[in-house]
Amino acid sequence: MDDKVKIRCPACTRVFREKANRIRDGLQVNCHNCNKLITLTKETEDPFLRRALKTAREIRAAQDAAVFAKTYSTAATAPKREPS
Ligand SMILES: [Zn+2]
């Protein structure tokens, strides 16, 4: 699964990628291209940054669901053994 979120720098408009589990409201990150400090906040006027926050939240939710499903299926199948 792709766990990176695209962030579009408001200064140089180039796109770089950041890990979704790092991205949360209020995160400050330097642009990988022009090194400008970007603040990711829900209150931003920049629709690209708002979208990055939303995407990160969705990816984290999907990761949590995957971990849960894996844990659950392991617990459910481990004690059971088909007699041969
Ligand atoms: Zn930049």
Side-chain angles (χ1 to χ4, degrees), residues 60-75:
R60 283 202 305 273
Q63 284 173 339
D64 287 351
V67 168
F68 178 82
K70 199 178 167 194
T71 308
Y72 180 77
S73 69
T74 306

Side-chain angles (χ1 to χ4, degrees), residues 9-14 16 31-36 38:
C9 174
C12 67
T13 72
R14 289 181 65 178
F16 61 94
C31 172
H32 293 196
N33 301 300
C34 71
N35 216 36
K36 181 189 163 64
I38 302 166

Side-chain angles (χ1 to χ4, degrees), residues 9 44 46:
C9 174
T44 183
D46 191 319

Side-chain angles (χ1 to χ4, degrees), residues 1-6 18-21 23 52-66:
M1 184 160 67
D2 191 359
D3 66 345
K4 301 247 178 54
V5 174
K6 286 185 192 142
E18 195 64 62
K19 272 191 163 275
N21 58 17
I23 295 173
L53 275 167
K54 185 167 175 283
T55 306
R57 212 167 51 233
E58 285 166 1
I59 290 174
R60 283 202 305 273
Q63 284 173 339
D64 287 351

